Amino acid sequence: MGRQPCCDKVGLKKGPWTAEEDKKLINFILNNGQCCWRAVPKLAGLLRCGKSCRLRWTNYLRPDLKRGLLSEYEEKMVIDLHAQLGNRWSKIASHLPGRTDNEIKNHWNTHIKKKLRKMGIDPVTHKPLSTITNDQITNIEQPENLSIQQENLQEIMQPSSVNDVSIDQSAITEIKLDDDDDNNNNNKNMGTSCINNNNNFDSTIVQEVNNNGFCTDEVPLIEPHEILVPSKSTPSTSSSSSSSSSSNIIEDLKFLPSFDDWPMENNMGFGWENDFSSTLDFLLNDDNDMNNVTYDDSWKFEQLL
DNA sequence: AATTTTCACAACCGCAGCTTG
DNA sequence: GCAAGCTGCGGTTGTGAAAAT
């Protein structure tokens, strides 16, 4: 007997989320917490499947998310972690507070892969491309000089300045490879080193920072001041391609508390503090004419305050 | 200015793994 | 032990914006 679909897909909406749907989902989760995703759409009055709701919340609406492009240092972390963990995006994401697996996966596929290839490094094996056959590299942009690959590699693994470090160092703990089937996958040759010995650099970035003793899967929540909130008045490189459906209500808020900061309400610990609470009230209050607010990048929360 | 192409990212799909009865 | 139900994960696709022509 085959598995039943996660939900009855008949009559369910697909595609980009609207502001109204986001509002309903946020409202519901704030009042009820995260539980039983299957039941969420029905209870929240959404014509979506539970899976879609979960994804929208975890990848976009969660208040502890960072927005915008990955910093140079985060990118280096991703490369390092990918060398150890492979395409285990959720594991990688667990080392980068405020980043989602989807975000990292997208960034890897659109930016990092190209960057590595340009440097003559195979993004899959993290080895120099020169080790593969000529046929394999016909479609890959050739590095000008393979001899500089190692230097380049060193360079990208070394933060150029402290300012590049936008993630919580304390969140970075020693990578502990799982005991399960990891031993059977192609990561086993990577060991605890970022790149094999031939590539001549280690993963001290990841391994040395273990001050707070966090479990690798217990990523500490980022503090409000750590969250980058791009302002329209000072255009940043982030979210340059935000579409009308991809703007985030949360990202437009000035103050973003971590879950740690939320007062315990309900059994899930949801709740908002002070400024954010009133701010959110505004968003969620039907009396406010949200329908007249354009839900795209031109809309900034400051305008509503 | 209009059209086409490329790029980036949000969202979807299907499967795996875990839990429960 | 088995089946069903649910969540999480990773690969892939669809879509809108930006860049190129």
Side-chain angles (χ1 to χ4, degrees):
Chain A
M1 178 187 285
R3 273 196 55 166
Q4 285 188 338
C6 69
C7 53
D8 179 12
K9 290 182 168 56
V10 180
L12 290 186
K13 192 171 178 292
K14 285 169 65 174
W17 280 65
T18 64
E20 191 61 31
E21 288 175 309
D22 282 346
K23 192 174 138 188
K24 284 182 180 175
L25 183 57
I26 293 170
N27 193 20
F28 178 81
I29 293 179
L30 292 182
N31 287 324
N32 303 282
Q34 292 178 72
C35 66
C36 236
W37 284 112
R38 192 180 165 90
V40 166
K42 195 173 183 180
L43 297 171
L46 291 163
L47 289 173
R48 297 273 181 175
C49 78
K51 205 172 180 176
S52 182
C53 293
R54 178 178 57 81
L55 228 51
R56 182 65 179 171
W57 175 257
T58 55
N59 286 339
Y60 217 88
L61 298 175
R62 253 170 53 201
D64 60 334
L65 288 179
K66 282 185 193 175
R67 305 301 305 172
L69 290 173
L70 270 69
S71 70
E72 209 175 309
Y73 186 70
E74 284 176 310
E75 222 171 67
K76 288 161 191 165
M77 281 292 298
V78 171
I79 294 168
D80 191 3
L81 291 163
H82 185 272
Q84 298 180 60
L85 302 168
N87 291 358
R88 299 171 72 190
W89 304 115
S90 62
K91 287 277 181 192
I92 293 172
S94 71
H95 294 277
L96 295 163
R99 300 294 186 183
T100 69
D101 53 353
N102 206 36
E103 191 177 12
I104 291 169
K105 180 172 59 183
N106 281 333
H107 191 77
W108 177 269
N109 288 327
T110 56
H111 293 100
I112 301 177
K113 258 173 142 177
K114 288 178 192 169
K115 210 180 248 187
L116 289 176
R117 280 175 179 156
K118 212 168 187 175
M119 296 169 58
I121 299 162
D122 183 357
V124 178
T125 62
H126 293 255
K127 294 176 182 176
L129 282 170
S130 57
T131 61
I132 62 178
T133 67
N134 287 335
D135 288 341
Q136 285 175 300
I137 60 176
T138 49
N139 294 325
I140 301 171
E141 190 175 349
Q142 287 277 18
E144 290 178 7
N145 184 351
L146 285 176
S147 67
I148 64 170
Q149 289 167 15
Q150 303 311 319
E151 292 170 26
N152 289 340
L153 206 51
Q154 288 279 8
E155 200 176 305
I156 62 166
M157 296 305 299
Q158 302 292 336
S160 55
S161 74
V162 174
N163 292 335
D164 291 328
V165 182
S166 65
I167 66 171
D168 184 356
Q169 292 283 337
S170 65
I172 307 167
T173 60
E174 184 175 354
I175 305 297
K176 192 173 70 178
L177 292 176
D178 292 347
D179 294 328
D180 56 23
D181 58 344
D182 289 348
N183 291 332
N184 296 325
N185 65 24
N186 59 4
N187 295 322
K188 67 178 179 181
N189 293 330
M190 300 295 182
T192 56
S193 172
C194 172
I195 294 205
N196 65 28
N197 291 335
N198 293 335
N199 285 321
N200 197 29
F201 76 95
D202 61 34
S203 55
T204 51
I205 290 173
V206 175
Q207 294 178 342
E208 284 183 359
V209 191
N210 191 19
N211 299 331
N212 290 356
F214 283 108
C215 167
T216 54
D217 285 336
E218 294 170 0
V219 178
L221 295 161
I222 53 177
E223 297 303 320
H225 69 272
E226 295 175 313
I227 301 173
L228 305 173
V229 182
S231 164
K232 204 68 182 178
S233 58
T234 55
S236 71
T237 56
S238 64
S239 304
S240 58
S241 62
S242 294
S243 63
S244 60
S245 64
S246 60
S247 290
N248 185 355
I249 286 176
I250 301 300
E251 81 172 337
D252 292 319
L253 303 177
K254 287 183 172 175
F255 172 60
L256 301 174
S258 73
F259 282 98
D260 273 350
D261 292 329
W262 299 1
M264 291 299 290
E265 286 182 11
N266 310 317
N267 53 0
M268 297 299 292
F270 275 89
W272 300 83
E273 282 188 316
N274 307 327
D275 294 351
F276 191 77
S277 177
S278 57
T279 296
L280 200 66
D281 281 348
F282 185 95
L283 282 171
L284 301 178
N285 188 345
D286 287 334
D287 294 338
N288 295 316
D289 196 3
M290 287 293 290
N291 292 332
N292 290 336
V293 178
T294 307
Y295 192 55
D296 62 21
D297 276 349
S298 64
W299 175 70
K300 302 304 293 181
F301 190 74
E302 292 90 289
Q303 295 167 4
L304 301 174
L305 294 174

mmCIF file of all heavy atoms in Angstrom, chain A residues 17-27 46 56 60-61 245 247-249 284 295, chain B residues 11:
data_model
loop_
_atom_site.group_PDB
_atom_site.id
_atom_site.type_symbol
_atom_site.label_atom_id
_atom_site.label_comp_id
_atom_site.label_asym_id
_atom_site.label_seq_id
_atom_site.Cartn_x
_atom_site.Cartn_y
_atom_site.Cartn_z
ATOM 1 N N TRP A 17 3.374 32.932 -1.732
ATOM 2 C CA TRP A 17 2.484 33.296 -0.636
ATOM 3 C C TRP A 17 2.151 34.782 -0.726
ATOM 4 O O TRP A 17 2.984 35.599 -1.068
ATOM 5 C CB TRP A 17 3.157 32.997 0.702
ATOM 6 C CG TRP A 17 3.081 31.562 1.092
ATOM 7 C CD1 TRP A 17 3.668 30.508 0.437
ATOM 8 C CD2 TRP A 17 2.401 31.010 2.213
ATOM 9 N NE1 TRP A 17 3.388 29.339 1.081
ATOM 10 C CE2 TRP A 17 2.616 29.619 2.181
ATOM 11 C CE3 TRP A 17 1.638 31.542 3.239
ATOM 12 C CZ2 TRP A 17 2.090 28.762 3.149
ATOM 13 C CZ3 TRP A 17 1.119 30.689 4.204
ATOM 14 C CH2 TRP A 17 1.337 29.314 4.144
ATOM 15 N N THR A 18 0.935 35.083 -0.339
ATOM 16 C CA THR A 18 0.522 36.492 -0.313
ATOM 17 C C THR A 18 0.721 37.043 1.094
ATOM 18 O O THR A 18 0.910 36.292 2.062
ATOM 19 C CB THR A 18 -0.965 36.626 -0.675
ATOM 20 O OG1 THR A 18 -1.745 35.962 0.335
ATOM 21 C CG2 THR A 18 -1.245 36.004 -2.021
ATOM 22 N N ALA A 19 0.657 38.352 1.193
ATOM 23 C CA ALA A 19 0.797 39.000 2.498
ATOM 24 C C ALA A 19 -0.293 38.526 3.452
ATOM 25 O O ALA A 19 -0.059 38.327 4.648
ATOM 26 C CB ALA A 19 0.727 40.515 2.323
ATOM 27 N N GLU A 20 -1.459 38.346 2.886
ATOM 28 C CA GLU A 20 -2.590 37.928 3.711
ATOM 29 C C GLU A 20 -2.350 36.542 4.295
ATOM 30 O O GLU A 20 -2.621 36.284 5.468
ATOM 31 C CB GLU A 20 -3.863 37.931 2.848
ATOM 32 C CG GLU A 20 -5.143 37.774 3.642
ATOM 33 C CD GLU A 20 -5.350 38.903 4.639
ATOM 34 O OE1 GLU A 20 -4.901 40.039 4.370
ATOM 35 O OE2 GLU A 20 -5.939 38.635 5.696
ATOM 36 N N GLU A 21 -1.810 35.662 3.481
ATOM 37 C CA GLU A 21 -1.531 34.312 3.953
ATOM 38 C C GLU A 21 -0.431 34.330 5.012
ATOM 39 O O GLU A 21 -0.519 33.632 6.020
ATOM 40 C CB GLU A 21 -1.116 33.415 2.774
ATOM 41 C CG GLU A 21 -2.247 33.058 1.847
ATOM 42 C CD GLU A 21 -1.755 32.268 0.638
ATOM 43 O OE1 GLU A 21 -0.797 32.718 -0.017
ATOM 44 O OE2 GLU A 21 -2.315 31.212 0.352
ATOM 45 N N ASP A 22 0.591 35.119 4.755
ATOM 46 C CA ASP A 22 1.668 35.243 5.738
ATOM 47 C C ASP A 22 1.107 35.718 7.077
ATOM 48 O O ASP A 22 1.460 35.207 8.137
ATOM 49 C CB ASP A 22 2.714 36.240 5.248
ATOM 50 C CG ASP A 22 3.642 35.634 4.200
ATOM 51 O OD1 ASP A 22 3.641 34.384 4.059
ATOM 52 O OD2 ASP A 22 4.356 36.384 3.525
ATOM 53 N N LYS A 23 0.257 36.680 6.960
ATOM 54 C CA LYS A 23 -0.340 37.271 8.154
ATOM 55 C C LYS A 23 -1.105 36.212 8.944
ATOM 56 O O LYS A 23 -0.972 36.099 10.166
ATOM 57 C CB LYS A 23 -1.279 38.393 7.698
ATOM 58 C CG LYS A 23 -1.773 39.320 8.773
ATOM 59 C CD LYS A 23 -2.563 40.442 8.085
ATOM 60 C CE LYS A 23 -3.815 40.775 8.842
ATOM 61 N NZ LYS A 23 -4.677 41.725 8.084
ATOM 62 N N LYS A 24 -1.879 35.441 8.240
ATOM 63 C CA LYS A 24 -2.656 34.387 8.905
ATOM 64 C C LYS A 24 -1.745 33.362 9.568
ATOM 65 O O LYS A 24 -1.996 32.927 10.691
ATOM 66 C CB LYS A 24 -3.559 33.683 7.885
ATOM 67 C CG LYS A 24 -4.795 34.471 7.489
ATOM 68 C CD LYS A 24 -5.643 33.660 6.509
ATOM 69 C CE LYS A 24 -6.897 34.427 6.089
ATOM 70 N NZ LYS A 24 -7.666 33.693 5.055
ATOM 71 N N LEU A 25 -0.705 33.004 8.854
ATOM 72 C CA LEU A 25 0.196 31.985 9.393
ATOM 73 C C LEU A 25 0.941 32.506 10.618
ATOM 74 O O LEU A 25 1.030 31.818 11.643
ATOM 75 C CB LEU A 25 1.195 31.553 8.315
ATOM 76 C CG LEU A 25 2.161 30.428 8.705
ATOM 77 C CD1 LEU A 25 1.404 29.188 9.147
ATOM 78 C CD2 LEU A 25 3.081 30.079 7.540
ATOM 79 N N ILE A 26 1.453 33.711 10.522
ATOM 80 C CA ILE A 26 2.152 34.306 11.664
ATOM 81 C C ILE A 26 1.211 34.408 12.849
ATOM 82 O O ILE A 26 1.546 34.034 13.977
ATOM 83 C CB ILE A 26 2.703 35.693 11.301
ATOM 84 C CG1 ILE A 26 3.819 35.573 10.267
ATOM 85 C CG2 ILE A 26 3.210 36.418 12.535
ATOM 86 C CD1 ILE A 26 4.247 36.911 9.682
ATOM 87 N N ASN A 27 0.054 34.901 12.578
ATOM 88 C CA ASN A 27 -0.941 35.081 13.628
ATOM 89 C C ASN A 27 -1.231 33.758 14.326
ATOM 90 O O ASN A 27 -1.241 33.664 15.556
ATOM 91 C CB ASN A 27 -2.216 35.667 13.013
ATOM 92 C CG ASN A 27 -3.160 36.177 14.083
ATOM 93 O OD1 ASN A 27 -2.747 36.430 15.208
ATOM 94 N ND2 ASN A 27 -4.411 36.332 13.732
ATOM 95 N N LEU A 46 -6.087 28.685 6.093
ATOM 96 C CA LEU A 46 -5.276 28.778 4.877
ATOM 97 C C LEU A 46 -5.582 27.640 3.920
ATOM 98 O O LEU A 46 -5.793 26.506 4.344
ATOM 99 C CB LEU A 46 -3.785 28.729 5.253
ATOM 100 C CG LEU A 46 -3.229 29.932 5.992
ATOM 101 C CD1 LEU A 46 -1.911 29.576 6.651
ATOM 102 C CD2 LEU A 46 -3.049 31.104 5.041
ATOM 103 N N ARG A 56 7.113 27.655 4.648
ATOM 104 C CA ARG A 56 7.032 29.120 4.615
ATOM 105 C C ARG A 56 7.506 29.689 5.947
ATOM 106 O O ARG A 56 8.220 30.689 5.980
ATOM 107 C CB ARG A 56 5.589 29.539 4.334
ATOM 108 C CG ARG A 56 5.388 31.049 4.223
ATOM 109 C CD ARG A 56 6.120 31.643 3.041
ATOM 110 N NE ARG A 56 5.906 33.078 2.924
ATOM 111 C CZ ARG A 56 6.570 33.869 2.089
ATOM 112 N NH1 ARG A 56 7.480 33.366 1.276
ATOM 113 N NH2 ARG A 56 6.341 35.164 2.049
ATOM 114 N N TYR A 60 11.080 31.396 5.818
ATOM 115 C CA TYR A 60 10.861 32.805 5.537
ATOM 116 C C TYR A 60 10.305 33.645 6.671
ATOM 117 O O TYR A 60 10.732 34.769 6.884
ATOM 118 C CB TYR A 60 9.953 32.948 4.317
ATOM 119 C CG TYR A 60 10.373 34.123 3.485
ATOM 120 C CD1 TYR A 60 11.341 33.978 2.500
ATOM 121 C CD2 TYR A 60 9.864 35.381 3.741
ATOM 122 C CE1 TYR A 60 11.773 35.053 1.775
ATOM 123 C CE2 TYR A 60 10.294 36.473 3.010
ATOM 124 C CZ TYR A 60 11.242 36.302 2.027
ATOM 125 O OH TYR A 60 11.681 37.379 1.324
ATOM 126 N N LEU A 61 9.363 33.129 7.396
ATOM 127 C CA LEU A 61 8.684 33.976 8.367
ATOM 128 C C LEU A 61 9.277 33.940 9.770
ATOM 129 O O LEU A 61 9.031 34.839 10.561
ATOM 130 C CB LEU A 61 7.198 33.598 8.431
ATOM 131 C CG LEU A 61 6.439 33.786 7.122
ATOM 132 C CD1 LEU A 61 5.019 33.275 7.251
ATOM 133 C CD2 LEU A 61 6.435 35.246 6.689
ATOM 134 N N SER A 245 6.305 38.677 -3.993
ATOM 135 C CA SER A 245 5.812 37.656 -3.095
ATOM 136 C C SER A 245 6.852 37.239 -2.081
ATOM 137 O O SER A 245 6.565 36.491 -1.181
ATOM 138 C CB SER A 245 5.407 36.427 -3.904
ATOM 139 O OG SER A 245 6.543 35.886 -4.519
ATOM 140 N N SER A 247 8.874 39.321 -0.228
ATOM 141 C CA SER A 247 9.211 40.228 0.846
ATOM 142 C C SER A 247 8.747 39.643 2.156
ATOM 143 O O SER A 247 7.760 38.939 2.225
ATOM 144 C CB SER A 247 8.532 41.575 0.624
ATOM 145 O OG SER A 247 9.130 42.215 -0.461
ATOM 146 N N ASN A 248 9.481 39.943 3.154
ATOM 147 C CA ASN A 248 9.213 39.330 4.439
ATOM 148 C C ASN A 248 8.685 40.366 5.408
ATOM 149 O O ASN A 248 9.312 41.366 5.667
ATOM 150 C CB ASN A 248 10.529 38.746 4.952
ATOM 151 C CG ASN A 248 10.335 37.975 6.224
ATOM 152 O OD1 ASN A 248 9.233 37.942 6.773
ATOM 153 N ND2 ASN A 248 11.380 37.346 6.682
ATOM 154 N N ILE A 249 7.540 40.096 5.928
ATOM 155 C CA ILE A 249 6.983 40.997 6.927
ATOM 156 C C ILE A 249 7.992 41.199 8.031
ATOM 157 O O ILE A 249 8.257 42.304 8.480
ATOM 158 C CB ILE A 249 5.685 40.408 7.524
ATOM 159 C CG1 ILE A 249 4.570 40.525 6.490
ATOM 160 C CG2 ILE A 249 5.307 41.101 8.798
ATOM 161 C CD1 ILE A 249 3.285 39.890 6.951
ATOM 162 N N LEU A 284 -1.000 42.504 12.472
ATOM 163 C CA LEU A 284 -2.003 41.454 12.527
ATOM 164 C C LEU A 284 -3.396 41.973 12.793
ATOM 165 O O LEU A 284 -4.361 41.230 12.701
ATOM 166 C CB LEU A 284 -1.620 40.437 13.610
ATOM 167 C CG LEU A 284 -0.271 39.787 13.386
ATOM 168 C CD1 LEU A 284 0.034 38.831 14.525
ATOM 169 C CD2 LEU A 284 -0.237 39.058 12.055
ATOM 170 N N TYR A 295 2.670 45.036 -0.886
ATOM 171 C CA TYR A 295 3.527 44.021 -0.283
ATOM 172 C C TYR A 295 4.713 43.730 -1.183
ATOM 173 O O TYR A 295 4.849 42.703 -1.787
ATOM 174 C CB TYR A 295 2.704 42.756 -0.043
ATOM 175 C CG TYR A 295 3.401 41.758 0.820
ATOM 176 C CD1 TYR A 295 3.871 42.122 2.070
ATOM 177 C CD2 TYR A 295 3.607 40.457 0.390
ATOM 178 C CE1 TYR A 295 4.503 41.203 2.869
ATOM 179 C CE2 TYR A 295 4.237 39.535 1.186
ATOM 180 C CZ TYR A 295 4.688 39.914 2.427
ATOM 181 O OH TYR A 295 5.309 38.993 3.217
ATOM 182 P P DA B 11 7.669 31.596 -0.825
ATOM 183 O OP1 DA B 11 6.439 32.384 -0.934
ATOM 184 O OP2 DA B 11 8.298 31.339 0.485
ATOM 185 O "O5'" DA B 11 7.437 30.200 -1.539
ATOM 186 C "C5'" DA B 11 6.967 30.197 -2.881
ATOM 187 C "C4'" DA B 11 6.958 28.782 -3.409
ATOM 188 O "O4'" DA B 11 8.306 28.335 -3.610
ATOM 189 C "C3'" DA B 11 6.283 27.755 -2.495
ATOM 190 O "O3'" DA B 11 5.191 27.183 -3.188
ATOM 191 C "C2'" DA B 11 7.383 26.738 -2.192
ATOM 192 C "C1'" DA B 11 8.375 26.957 -3.330
ATOM 193 N N9 DA B 11 9.769 26.642 -3.027
ATOM 194 C C8 DA B 11 10.512 27.101 -1.979
ATOM 195 N N7 DA B 11 11.746 26.656 -1.969
ATOM 196 C C5 DA B 11 11.821 25.858 -3.096
ATOM 197 C C6 DA B 11 12.863 25.100 -3.659
ATOM 198 N N6 DA B 11 14.084 25.008 -3.122
ATOM 199 N N1 DA B 11 12.600 24.422 -4.801
ATOM 200 C C2 DA B 11 11.378 24.502 -5.331
ATOM 201 N N3 DA B 11 10.313 25.185 -4.898
ATOM 202 C C4 DA B 11 10.609 25.846 -3.766
#
